[in-house]
Amino acid sequence: MSRQVEFWYEFASTYSYPAAMRLEEAAQRAGVSVRWRPFLLGPIFGAQGWNDSPFNIYPAKGKYMWRDMERICDAQGLTLKEPVRFPQNGLRAARIVLALPEALRPAFTREVYLANFAGQRDISGEDVLARILVALEVEPQPVLEKAGSDEVKAALKAQTDEAIAKGIFGAPSFTVGDELFWGNDRLEQALEWARR
């Protein structure tokens, strides 16, 4: 059986951005495969009585997070610009991931994060997501239609339910079997666990 890490991410999640941008290279070095699993934090936050990101609900935490992100992105050589709004609605982008073949999911995911956190583009917009697909040499219309299908909507809901069942409470999270690792700074630990 191949050694695998499951990467659970939400497109609105700040810390998922640097994780997504470094994951594949880190996993290759560790000899571990990755399964990319977009999900929605909204239902998880809602169950805790939150109707917004905790980084907005608690301003001191939000101020710290943006400064922390600046340091992390600077160290990784990533551009960081505050999005057009925070958090952005990543529902359509998450559905598109599930409508794509597995091999295209990492590249599409990274481009959506760059559009959100480096390009200040509205990632809820179909036109923005279609342009990303075109840049990846994917015909956008069939993918967008599939992403809007009942099948894909149900798949994303099931994936979010699975995240909840695994005890996931934030993004990014990494799972290796039943073992849960939360946060960009736990990526290497998750890969090491999978490698062992």
Side-chain angles (χ1 to χ4, degrees):
M1 193 169 87
S2 69
R3 297 172 295 184
Q4 186 180 72
V5 164
E6 294 195 318
F7 172 43
W8 298 85
Y9 59 97
E10 149 79 78
F11 281 114
S13 161
T14 49
Y15 288 102
S16 293
Y17 166 45
M21 301 307 285
R22 69 194 186 92
L23 174 57
E24 274 198 315
E25 189 179 317
Q28 284 172 359
R29 283 196 309 268
V32 173
S33 66
V34 179
R35 188 171 176 210
W36 294 66
R37 309 289 307 270
F39 73 108
L40 302 177
L41 279 170
I44 294 171
F45 287 173
Q48 298 177 65
W50 299 342
N51 62 359
D52 198 352
S53 165
F55 295 124
N56 289 338
I57 295 170
Y58 305 105
K61 193 172 191 174
K63 183 179 177 185
Y64 171 82
M65 177 273 293
W66 286 114
R67 181 63 193 125
D68 192 39
M69 280 288 294
E70 286 173 358
R71 291 190 299 256
I72 290 167
C73 290
D74 185 60
Q76 275 185 238
L78 295 174
T79 298
L80 177 68
K81 295 178 182 174
E82 283 199 38
V84 290
R85 78 186 71 77
F86 178 77
Q88 284 215 60
N89 183 342
L91 174 63
R92 192 191 310 259
R95 287 177 178 163
I96 289 173
V97 173
L98 296 183
L100 286 169
E102 294 264 359
L104 290 173
R105 293 176 183 184
F108 177 79
T109 295
R110 286 190 296 269
E111 290 303 317
V112 173
Y113 277 120
L114 286 168
N116 187 4
F117 292 110
Q120 294 181 310
R121 286 152 63 200
D122 182 356
I123 62 162
S124 68
E126 189 173 291
D127 56 331
V128 169
L129 299 171
R131 282 198 295 273
I132 291 172
L133 291 168
V134 168
L136 295 173
E137 300 182 347
V138 175
E139 179 61 42
Q141 204 51 45
V143 175
L144 293 170
E145 286 173 13
K146 185 177 178 184
S149 70
D150 289 343
E151 176 192 1
V152 168
K153 289 177 182 177
L156 181 59
K157 183 184 184 308
Q159 197 144 283
T160 299
D161 290 344
E162 185 182 346
I164 293 167
K166 286 180 174 284
I168 291 171
F169 54 87
S173 289
F174 309 92
T175 55
V176 181
D178 293 330
E179 207 69 33
L180 171 62
F181 302 85
W182 172 57
N184 175 50
D185 59 344
R186 293 295 181 266
L187 169 56
E188 282 74 16
Q189 190 179 8
L191 292 172
E192 177 60 23
W193 194 274
R195 196 180 64 77
R196 285 201 316 231

